[in-house]
Amino acid sequence: MEDKRELLKNPVHSIYIPIGLILFGTWIFSWEYMPYSIAFIVIVCTVKYYEAYKNRSSLHKTIWQDFELMDKTIIAPMTSIYRFKLRRDDEVLDIPTGHHVACCFNINGKDEIRYYSPISNQFDSGFFDILVKHYEHGVVTRRLAQINEGQTVKFRGPFGKLDYKPNMARELVLIAGGTGITPILQVITRIITNPDDHTKIKLIFGNETEKDILLKSEIDEIASKYPDFEVYYTVTHPTEGWTGGSGYVDRAMLEKQLPKANEGNKVFICGPPEMKESLKGITEEMGWESENVFCF
Ligand SMILES: Cc1cc2nc3c(=O)[nH]c(=O)nc-3n(C[C@H](O)[C@H](O)[C@H](O)COP(=O)(O)OP(=O)(O)OC[C@H]3O[C@@H](n4cnc5c(N)ncnc54)[C@H](O)[C@@H]3O)c2cc1C
């Protein structure tokens, strides 16, 4: 289906070139028809621009837009999923894979901006979800927790560096720490919902305790349904009976879990800055070329 929003983003192919061709054709055929051609062009352009404007994205890259909170679900002691309404019921927040949105609260006269990677997918229409971990002294997350359904929050975007292309890796290892799972989940969803993307995925998900593993049942369900998706959990404080990995993601763990360096394989990492730094260094020592390792 034609995406009417594209017209506003890139009018060259759908407006300027057809107009040029009509005018050129009229000039070749007969000058007399020029007023009719111009009238035709004006009508068609007005209709097209109106449709494109009506179907424009709720999210804007540079202008803050208000989004109404539809629902808030507590999924762990300090973590909630917030659902925000899009302008139209059939609109999807179609942002590039692994990209994030900026959220802004004016607190004591100062704009406080924080970033969140939506976890809803390209098929969820009418809303988008963000998963937020709350911090006791967190400036923005404390304010977010006080928002009630029907109230609005300012967002803009999308932003991000990842340029994901289907089949860009033979095997893709995704390493997440805590809330770092959010952009990683976007990548997983994008791959498993595209029948033409044959990438084999391995998720290594590190957390403090088993209870801190966000969206574990959803991830386990994906693992049970998709043979090309495998998950390895590791926790720093395992309880008795824990069968996954224990401790931080380190070189010994990566040596067991990663496929052969390079050879069409890639690694994406998202977690706290220290985790990203350390894993970037380790992958380098293990021979991974920097172009095959991406840190969110
Ligand atoms: C690209 C990007 C995407 C992000 N996506 C998400 C997301 O999907 N979900 C999500 O929950 N967060 C995400 N974050 C983090 C988020 O932007 C905020 O930093 C976080 O919500 C804390 O904001 P705050 O104002 O409440 O805390 P702040 O007031 O900024 O910090 C208060 C205190 O909380 C602690 N703290 C804050 N952030 C962290 C952290 N990440 N790890 C450990 N301690 C911390 C620190 O001790 C800090 O002193 C993302 C960040 C980036 C850069």
Side-chain angles (χ1 to χ4, degrees):
M1 203 172 73
E2 184 197 5
D3 186 349
K4 299 191 171 81
R5 293 172 300 180
E6 288 305 312
L7 188 70
L8 293 178
K9 284 189 214 152
N10 183 12
V12 174
H13 287 97
S14 42
I15 290 283
Y16 302 150
I17 292 177
I19 288 178
L21 290 174
I22 291 173
L23 293 177
F24 183 66
T26 313
W27 177 64
I28 299 252
F29 190 65
S30 168
W31 269 110
E32 284 170 31
Y33 294 104
M34 199 50 98
Y36 301 105
S37 296
I38 291 173
F40 175 74
I41 287 168
V42 169
I43 292 168
V44 171
C45 286
T46 309
V47 170
K48 282 202 161 226
Y49 272 113
Y50 174 70
E51 277 190 340
Y53 180 76
K54 221 175 53 180
N55 291 292
R56 72 197 185 280
S57 292
S58 300
L59 192 68
H60 198 282
K61 196 147 192 151
T62 53
I63 302 168
W64 292 107
Q65 307 281 354
D66 286 315
F67 290 83
E68 184 186 317
L69 180 68
M70 292 169 78
D71 189 35
K72 192 186 328 189
T73 314
I74 298 168
I75 59 158
M78 290 292 275
T79 310
S80 303
I81 293 178
Y82 292 83
R83 175 162 294 181
F84 291 95
K85 199 174 161 61
L86 293 171
R87 192 180 288 123
R88 288 175 295 107
D89 287 345
D90 61 349
E91 180 182 353
V92 292
L93 189 82
D94 198 11
I95 65 173
T97 310
H99 283 216
H100 52 276
V101 293
C103 164
C104 176
F105 280 91
N106 189 283
I107 298 170
N108 300 326
K110 187 176 169 235
D111 278 349
E112 298 285 354
I113 298 168
R114 301 290 186 276
Y115 300 96
Y116 298 98
S117 308
I119 56 162
S120 43
N121 62 48
Q122 73 275 30
F123 305 109
D124 290 326
S125 59
F127 66 86
F128 72 93
D129 290 336
I130 55 170
L131 179 153
V132 180
K133 178 165 180 184
H134 293 269
Y135 296 96
E136 200 186 338
H137 302 291
V139 175
V140 163
T141 52
R142 267 176 58 199
R143 178 60 79 83
L144 204 48
Q146 293 162 1
I147 296 289
N148 296 315
E149 284 165 33
Q151 290 183 293
T152 60
V153 176
K154 291 193 186 310
F155 287 97
R156 67 184 168 94
F159 306 102
K161 288 183 289 180
L162 180 67
D163 182 17
Y164 183 78
K165 301 247 177 7
N167 302 309
M168 70 190 282
R170 199 174 345 170
E171 189 164 347
L172 179 61
V173 179
L174 302 166
I175 309 176
T179 52
I181 191 67
T182 53
I184 296 280
L185 204 62
Q186 281 185 40
V187 176
I188 295 170
T189 313
R190 197 57 78 141
I191 297 173
I192 62 173
T193 56
N194 180 358
D196 296 327
D197 194 336
H198 307 293
T199 310
K200 205 164 172 268
I201 315 167
K202 175 166 228 174
L203 169 66
I204 301 174
F205 191 9
N207 283 278
E208 289 286 307
T209 70
E210 194 180 343
K211 284 194 192 122
D212 296 319
I213 304 175
L214 299 167
L215 306 170
K216 186 170 185 299
S217 53
E218 285 81 354
I219 295 169
D220 288 342
E221 197 185 330
I222 297 173
S224 70
K225 280 187 182 158
Y226 296 90
D228 279 344
F229 174 85
E230 195 189 325
V231 56
Y232 178 79
Y233 298 108
T234 178
V235 295
T236 26
H237 305 291
T239 48
E240 232 184 276
W242 170 249
T243 53
S246 57
Y248 284 120
V249 181
D250 58 10
R251 179 162 183 158
M253 197 181 280
L254 290 190
E255 270 170 1
K256 279 196 201 136
Q257 300 296 331
L258 293 194
K260 279 206 172 125
N262 312 310
E263 301 198 7
N265 303 319
K266 289 193 189 288
V267 180
F268 292 176
I269 307 165
C270 189
E274 321 80 61
M275 178 186 184
K276 287 195 284 191
E277 278 299 304
S278 133
L279 296 183
K280 184 111 182 74
I282 294 173
T283 50
E284 251 170 55
E285 284 165 23
M286 289 171 68
W288 285 83
E289 283 161 16
S290 61
E291 65 189 38
N292 293 324
V293 178
F294 177 83
C295 289
F296 285 90

